Amino acid sequence: MTPPRTRRTARPTPRTPAPDPAPAPPSTEPPAPAGEAGPVAEAGPVAGSVGRAPLLTRPLMLRFVSMIGASASFFLLLSVVPAYATASGAGPATGALMLATVLGELGAPRLVARFGYRAVLVAGLALLGAPALVLTLSHSLAWIVLVCLVRGLGFALTLVAGGALTASLIPAGRRGEGLALVGVVSGVPSLIALPLGMWLAGRVGFTPVALAAGVIALAAVASVPGLPGRERASEKPVGMVAALRTGELARPAAVFATTALATGIIVTFLPLAVPAAASGVVAAALFVQPAASTAARWAAGRYGDRRGPAGLVLPGLLLSAGGMLITAFTGSTVAVLAGVAVFGAGFGIAQNATLSLMYARVPASDYGTVSALWNLAYDGGMGVGALGFGALAAPVGYAAAFVVTGALMLVALIPAVRDLRTPAPKG
């Protein structure tokens, strides 16, 4: 899911009066591209700036349109397609969707660097929407899997190109707050569309829902021409392999992947771990967790803009791990609700802090790579968490598996502490 941008404000440099009042010669330096910034250690307010740069600009509002369109289209069919594929095809359908998403995230930065934000975002929306229009032409598993593969690729392109574009539209001094706002804008459609898709499919059938998902994504294409095309850069953007070898990017991504791992576990296994008689507790918990994440993400963004996001990564990890340990008491309503609330707060903090920190450490030309790496950590972490927890819970039980998971998450203290101790780069 993705973020906004405006022109970055340069830090004013103190000047001393010259003995000669003659005006200085005009600068030969070219103006900095909008949103461009050199590598810095962390986001924060611009020293000496007067007032605050506006956050809700016209380009950002236009970006919200494509963001909502992609999110609503994706989540409207996320549960509907497995149901349409029936039990035997549900796994392959969802697996194909997520596999294509991950693979698309790996290759998208190169496409963004070559073709620019607009072209890749349009391609992503088209690949996400057009296959949905023809989903119900066949009930063949091969056809459903093909549709899911194409839609997963399209969704990946919208995440990476859209995420990089959004980051360039957010003022540097309000990056944390802007990314938090983006999380809300992209998250609300998913919260609505996911249950709405199944509800509509049960009343009007699969075809109208599939058509609606296709139209929503394709209609959002109309908002893209009003967005910036690309960032001007004097150097070649860093690739995914190089980013994974760069500690300043890989360490926050590893910490975030660890918290995302726990998210995949909660949404997948909490309904199974809580006693059947307490189904209402599960429903409440699955609302409390994203609500706590959204609130914490917003608070972390506001704090990070003033103090810098680097100091929030470690608390986000500790709260996430602590929440998993509390949730292990699955027979207690209070423990489950408190556990998911604590975890949700930690996850929201980790979301905002890691993404803000990664964007702040690269020039604007590398925003596509950061967006891809962060989203890869998100999707990969959720997938690994669900698979690993399932294998662990089978022999030891759900409660013990939650405890083991919470303890194992503390391994991410190594990159978190090391990153905190890394000296800030100069310049």
Side-chain angles (χ1 to χ4, degrees), residues 233-246:
S234 58
E235 56 188 55
K236 184 179 180 180
V238 66
M240 285 292 288
V241 174
L244 288 169
R245 293 175 178 173
T246 304

Side-chain angles (χ1 to χ4, degrees), residues 132-150:
L133 299 178
V134 296
L135 169 66
T136 57
L137 290 182
S138 172
H139 222 112
S140 164
L141 179 58
W143 176 253
I144 295 171
V145 167
L146 177 61
V147 168
C148 289
L149 285 171
V150 178

Side-chain angles (χ1 to χ4, degrees), residues 62 66 117-119 121-122 125 220-228:
L62 283 174
S66 57
Y117 301 134
R118 283 197 302 259
L121 185 55
V122 167
L125 290 169
V221 172
S223 67
V224 177
L227 297 172

Side-chain angles (χ1 to χ4, degrees), residues 1 68 71-72 74-76 183 185-196:
M1 323 229 164
I68 292 171
S71 182
F74 181 81
F75 285 99
L76 197 62
V185 172
S186 62
V188 170
S190 66
L191 291 175
I192 296 174
L194 188 59
L196 180 62

Side-chain angles (χ1 to χ4, degrees), residues 302-405:
R302 301 273 296 180
Y303 178 91
D305 286 342
R306 289 157 176 76
R307 304 290 182 87
L312 293 173
V313 175
L314 184 58
L317 172 63
L318 292 174
L319 285 172
S320 298
M324 291 296 285
L325 294 173
I326 298 171
T327 308
F329 297 95
T330 55
S332 167
T333 298
V334 174
V336 169
L337 294 178
V340 297
V342 172
F343 168 76
F347 183 60
I349 292 171
Q351 277 184 301
N352 191 280
T354 55
L355 186 57
S356 297
L357 191 60
M358 291 167 70
Y359 276 134
R361 287 174 169 176
V362 300
S365 58
D366 291 332
Y367 283 172
T369 300
V370 166
S371 178
L373 181 58
W374 190 85
N375 279 290
L376 184 64
Y378 200 158
D379 297 330
M382 287 188 67
V384 170
L387 289 173
F389 188 89
L392 178 64
V396 304
Y398 291 117
F402 273 110
V403 172
V404 172
T405 300

